[in-house]
Amino acid sequence: MSRIITRFLIIVATMTAVCVVVVLLYTKQNFSEAAWAILAAALAVITSAISAWNAQRVVELEEDRLRPYPYPCFDTTSRYGLMLLRVRNSGQSTAYKIKLKMNEPLLDSKGNEIKFGDSEEISIIPVLFPGHSISKTVDGHVDFCNMQKSHKYTGKIEFQDAQGKVYRHEFILDAEMYKNTPLYSEEQLKTAFELQKIPGELVKINQNLGKMKL
């Protein structure tokens, strides 16, 4: 049963019980045993409706927590020197047929549009498991932030759950806050990047030593 129907039924039951109570009190007649029984039953319905409303809210919150929830963001810390577009499923179930619809195309410093998949109009991600994410390289963060334009993007993301129910919500992508700010809180990423150069330097040293022996 849908949330709207459930809430409607609770409201109808509550209003009916309230009307019964009002009519009984408005008549100002001596209450018979039947009238007292009706009044008690109406008050019990009101109390039950209030409890049912609270219980429905708990059920809805649990359903929201368990459903998939993909959301895009800019990622500046996963790859050294690169700006990534990442879509992460923060929900507790798998999201299917994710469509990222940008109101304004996301372009890199060379004018290339950044999107997932081969669709000419929208980005499409077939499936994304709970807690998982997928990323796309946007640009070097220096080149991207130096572009003479505002990097604020809006749009809608559409997806389905395992039962094929379609969900939609709006999103905001904002890279303006990264301008003139340190993108890394620690130097570990840069250190790892520099350490990756060691094997290549060792090969060069070995080659030079080989030439010296000759």
Side-chain angles (χ1 to χ4, degrees):
M1 187 179 298
S2 69
R3 297 181 178 185
I4 296 177
I5 295 177
T6 302
R7 291 182 179 183
F8 177 75
L9 293 177
I10 294 175
I11 292 174
V12 170
T14 304
M15 295 304 298
T16 302
V18 170
C19 290
V20 171
V21 173
V22 170
V23 170
L24 289 175
L25 296 178
Y26 183 76
T27 55
K28 297 181 180 180
Q29 296 178 0
N30 295 328
F31 280 1
S32 63
E33 293 184 0
W36 280 112
I38 294 174
L39 180 61
L43 295 175
V45 169
I46 295 174
T47 303
S48 300
I50 295 174
S51 300
W53 185 272
N54 293 330
Q56 177 64 20
R57 286 291 300 140
V58 173
V59 171
E60 291 175 0
L61 291 173
E62 183 65 15
E63 290 177 347
D64 292 340
R65 187 183 69 84
L66 293 177
R67 78 181 188 183
Y69 191 80
Y71 199 93
C73 66
F74 284 118
D75 182 359
T76 64
T77 59
S78 295
R79 296 293 303 274
Y80 181 74
L82 295 179
M83 176 79 73
L84 307 179
L85 174 63
R86 184 176 299 278
V87 178
R88 181 181 300 277
N89 182 10
S90 302
Q92 300 297 316
S93 57
T94 305
Y96 300 90
K97 298 181 180 180
I98 304 169
K99 298 179 181 179
L100 202 63
K101 303 177 180 179
M102 307 280 289
N103 293 331
E104 177 186 354
L106 174 61
L107 305 177
D108 62 14
S109 57
K110 297 180 181 179
N112 300 317
E113 185 176 358
I114 308 302
K115 58 184 178 181
F116 295 94
D118 298 327
S119 174
E120 297 182 357
E121 298 180 356
I122 57 177
S123 294
I124 299 178
I125 304 171
V127 61
L128 199 57
F129 297 105
H132 286 215
S133 65
I134 184 172
S135 61
K136 187 85 171 181
T137 301
V138 177
D139 208 343
H141 61 75
V142 175
D143 296 331
F144 188 71
C145 291
N146 285 340
M147 293 172 62
Q148 299 300 316
K149 63 171 298 184
S150 175
H151 291 300
K152 291 184 179 180
Y153 305 90
T154 59
K156 290 184 178 180
I157 188 166
E158 177 182 305
F159 57 96
Q160 298 181 12
D161 59 12
Q163 287 73 40
K165 185 177 180 180
V166 179
Y167 297 90
R168 298 178 184 86
H169 59 254
E170 297 182 352
F171 66 84
I172 299 176
L173 281 170
D174 190 353
E176 291 296 305
M177 60 183 178
Y178 296 117
K179 291 183 177 180
N180 302 319
T181 61
L183 300 181
Y184 310 102
S185 59
E186 300 178 355
E187 294 293 337
Q188 293 181 356
L189 192 62
K190 183 177 180 180
T191 301
F193 177 78
E194 296 296 336
L195 288 175
Q196 293 176 13
K197 299 179 181 179
I198 293 179
E201 296 299 326
L202 292 176
V203 171
K204 293 180 181 179
I205 293 173
N206 187 40
Q207 291 175 348
N208 292 331
L209 290 176
K211 292 179 181 179
M212 293 175 61
K213 292 180 181 180
L214 294 176

